[in-house]
Amino acid sequence: MALSLVTAGESHGRALVAIVSGLPAGLVLDKDQIDADLHRRQQGYGRSPRQQIEQDEVEVLAGLRHGRTLGTPLALVVHNRDHKNWEWGMSPWPPEGEAGGKGTKAVTLPRPGHADLAGTLKYGFADVRDVLERASARHTAVIVAAGAVAKALIAKIAITVEGRVLTEDIEQQVDEARADRDTVGGIVEVRARGVPPGLGTYATKDERLDARLASSLMGTQAVKGVEIGEGFGLASKRGSEAHDEILRDERGLYRDTNRAGGIEGGVSNGEEIIVRAAMKPLPTLMKPLASVDLQTGEPAQALVERSDTAAVEALAVVAEACVAWELARAAKDKFGGDALDDLVAAHRAYLERIDWSPR
Ligand code: EPS
């Protein structure tokens, strides 16, 4: 069974939920490890005061017994502590009693750069909040929880994944932007080591590993560009300078350059996987941009709300989770296994067959 992930949840609703299916039975999960990634995602310079309200931790509702996966759907929950301030405003059922707390007044001032306007038009909503609650990057908390599970799985076949920020002087940029009541974006990179050749396939577009990585990263809030290996840089190189020559020593086949970022023809080639994502500046500005009041049709200024000045350090953690998830999915496709031991044994047998070993 293929690994799959479904999520639900709004930014100020009760909780974010992820259901992970297709995990093999017998994988040991460590709550502290999942919580550590949730904590990492909340760090970083330039986050909003919302992060002082939230202290994300995972709750498991199903699929795990005594710390081991059962091979059944795993249900993960990350609660929104801020929900206590939004109980009326985000009530799933028609709210009872006096309106109180946050979210009681309709938002009618869409923010340029957010999903606000396009989402409101698409679904016919009268309140932009009906869009922004789900479009919010708060959603990434539960992606990170699922990514931590994926990391535990791929660790069993010696794959490790690490995300980091490439943008320089991010703290200074944040300070300057905050002083100007503005926001900044940035670039993150994820590297995965120990990935054997053969994850993903050229057979169909949507099973290409690079397509899956790009889709997962591009599907993350505020990401506007993704590149694999030297990506856009390859376009201005000659073929003789762009490709990674094939070499062999006593440990098997290898390359001594990696411009392809570890993927050729949509298939991992045994080199380090290198993926970068570019994040746009966050769209909620304290010094708002021009907008239109959707109720009156009159020119107005966009919604001003508590917001992050930057979340690029958080994106590094989220991107790491996305890459881990896609590698786990591709590994499950390749090695199968209802029981973890079967997956590990299939991986071992495969490495015995091919002329490659991890470096
Ligand atoms: C977000 C707006 C802010 C961020 C939020 C993403 O939340 P709020 O509207 O409650 O101030 O803090 O991110 C998180 C809560 C999080 O945990 O990452 C947005 O509009 O995308």
Side-chain angles (χ1 to χ4, degrees), residues 237-319:
K237 287 196 160 155
R238 289 234 178 138
S240 56
E241 301 167 331
H243 300 294
D244 306 307
E245 291 185 299
I246 300 170
L247 303 169
R248 186 174 184 281
D249 64 12
E250 70 285 351
R251 292 157 79 186
L253 298 160
Y254 74 100
R255 319 294 174 99
D256 62 8
T257 58
N258 186 17
R259 302 176 189 112
I263 302 175
E264 291 169 308
V267 187
S268 62
N269 66 6
E271 300 302 310
E272 195 175 30
I273 306 267
I274 305 172
V275 194
R276 281 183 282 276
M279 181 184 217
K280 68 185 179 184
L282 303 173
T284 309
L285 302 185
M286 296 302 124
K287 186 176 61 183
L289 296 174
S291 184
V292 170
D293 188 323
L294 298 181
Q295 207 166 21
T296 64
E298 295 298 321
Q301 290 193 320
L303 173 70
V304 177
E305 256 198 358
R306 168 181 80 184
S307 177
D308 306 276
T309 306
V312 64
E313 290 171 273
L315 178 63
V317 180
V318 176

Side-chain angles (χ1 to χ4, degrees), residues 2-75:
L3 206 55
S4 76
L5 171 64
V6 177
T7 70
E10 281 75 42
S11 180
H12 305 100
R14 274 187 64 190
L16 302 158
V17 181
I19 297 187
V20 176
S21 27
L23 280 174
L27 176 66
V28 173
L29 297 181
D30 178 354
K31 181 176 186 303
D32 289 346
Q33 247 167 34
I34 302 173
D35 288 345
D37 274 354
L38 290 173
H39 181 71
R40 278 172 70 216
R41 192 199 69 91
Q42 289 197 271
Q43 306 310 298
Y45 203 64
R47 297 308 305 277
S48 111
R50 172 79 187 273
Q51 297 312 319
Q52 271 119 55
I53 302 172
E54 304 300 341
Q55 270 144 40
D56 293 338
E57 63 170 316
V58 74
E59 185 184 340
V60 177
L61 290 190
L64 198 67
R65 181 159 183 258
H66 301 173
R68 278 176 191 273
T69 56
L70 295 170
T72 56
L74 179 73

